Amino acid sequence: MNILLLEDDLILSAELCRFLESNNFNCDKIYDGETFLRQIKNNTYDLYLLDINVPKINGLDVCQTIRSFDKNTPIIIISAYGDISDKKDAFTRLADDYLVKPFQFEELFLRINSLLRRKTPSDAADQDIIRIDDLIINKTEQKIYRGGHEISLTLKEFQLLVYLAEAQGRTVSKQQITEHVWEHNFNTNTNTVEVYINFLRKKIDKDFKIKLIHTRSGFGYYLSPL
């Protein structure tokens, strides 16, 4: 399990990560909200720990930004602010839990495990979310995010992207795409598939260093960060 910690107290941050790693978690630590949001664009985490009073972008705004494109990854606020108004603000921004400093690390460990137990692969919500690098596909809401920004797609573009993503890096042929996305509603000798692949590349890949949509010459297309 991978945890990303937002905490600007260098000593507490180091101690927390050591404790979590001693309990078989991977822990990355970030000291300001701006860097934190850049970090989650290119990495996948199972849980976020957010202090509120941190430089550049505070933890509550970070929480709200995460929830704009990721409704499922658990978020625990860890803060010295213990007033009910502070807790209300955090839960209004869809944090999952709130722990007031100073706290026992063992209590944090119990709360983390409680949240992660609820987040299982069998959850219907998780089944409707596909994550590939910093690309997030919400099949239920038919929404696409990359690098934290929502991308607008037509219905066919969305269906094509989902089909490529569900292939999990395998190459799919033009024939397979026409069968599953268009259901043979056009002549496979046309360049419709190529045109829609180019549409997706302009929207999904053009503004990003890491390209996700690839062509395997003579075989078809695949979606992968590699």
Side-chain angles (χ1 to χ4, degrees):
M1 290 291 182
N2 299 309
I3 294 176
L4 185 59
L5 169 65
L6 175 60
E7 172 59 68
D8 65 334
D9 183 320
L10 301 186
I11 294 175
L12 177 59
S13 179
E15 290 178 347
L16 267 175
C17 275
R18 277 198 299 269
F19 171 79
L20 292 170
E21 288 167 355
S22 71
N23 284 278
N24 300 317
F25 291 105
N26 298 316
C27 181
D28 292 335
K29 49 187 182 292
I30 301 292
Y31 307 114
D32 70 84
E34 188 176 283
T35 304
F36 187 97
L37 290 175
R38 285 202 303 268
Q39 177 78 2
I40 65 176
K41 288 180 180 180
N42 300 313
N43 299 274
T44 300
Y45 292 93
D46 300 290
L47 184 138
Y48 301 119
L49 294 175
L50 309 179
D51 185 15
I52 294 177
N53 189 21
V54 295
K56 297 185 179 179
I57 302 176
N58 71 60
L60 292 179
D61 288 340
V62 168
C63 178
Q64 186 170 338
T65 299
I66 292 171
R67 286 295 182 244
S68 70
F69 62 88
D70 179 355
K71 300 294 191 288
N72 299 307
T73 303
I75 297 174
I76 299 177
I77 302 295
I78 52 172
S79 174
Y81 302 144
D83 291 345
I84 189 64
S85 60
D86 297 311
K87 296 178 182 179
K88 181 179 179 181
D89 197 3
F91 287 117
T92 298
R93 301 185 196 217
L94 302 181
D96 294 285
D97 204 348
Y98 194 109
L99 198 54
V100 178
K101 299 176 183 177
F103 52 82
Q104 296 291 324
F105 285 5
E106 193 66 29
E107 181 179 359
L108 175 63
F109 175 71
L110 293 173
R111 294 189 184 210
I112 289 172
N113 279 330
S114 176
L115 286 172
L116 292 178
R117 278 198 302 271
R118 300 176 202 169
K119 184 179 179 293
T120 63
S122 61
D123 287 343
D126 279 350
Q127 292 177 349
D128 288 332
I129 301 292
I130 302 174
R131 292 181 176 85
I132 299 173
D133 198 70
D134 61 342
L135 175 70
I136 297 174
I137 303 172
N138 187 320
K139 295 199 296 182
T140 300
E141 298 180 7
Q142 293 192 349
K143 290 185 177 181
I144 305 296
Y145 302 90
R146 184 152 191 209
H149 301 285
E150 185 171 358
I151 297 172
S152 178
L153 299 182
T154 66
L155 178 59
K156 280 302 174 191
E157 289 169 349
F158 178 82
Q159 291 172 338
L160 174 57
L161 182 64
V162 169
Y163 182 62
L164 290 172
E166 289 182 335
Q168 299 180 329
R170 297 188 303 275
T171 300
V172 291
S173 68
K174 181 178 175 180
Q175 179 69 32
Q176 289 173 313
I177 291 173
T178 60
E179 289 176 357
H180 288 86
V181 179
W182 276 272
E183 299 178 350
H184 286 301
N185 288 331
F186 65 87
N187 186 335
T188 55
N189 291 323
T190 68
N191 67 342
T192 301
V193 172
E194 290 90 338
V195 168
Y196 273 82
I197 288 289
N198 286 332
F199 287 160
L200 282 184
R201 281 180 167 144
K202 288 178 181 178
K203 294 183 178 182
I204 300 296
D205 279 346
K206 182 180 178 182
D207 297 326
F208 296 89
K209 182 178 179 180
I210 297 176
K211 308 305 179 186
L212 300 179
I213 301 170
H214 306 279
T215 301
R216 189 180 177 199
S217 184
F219 292 91
Y221 306 94
Y222 65 97
L223 199 157
S224 171
L226 303 177

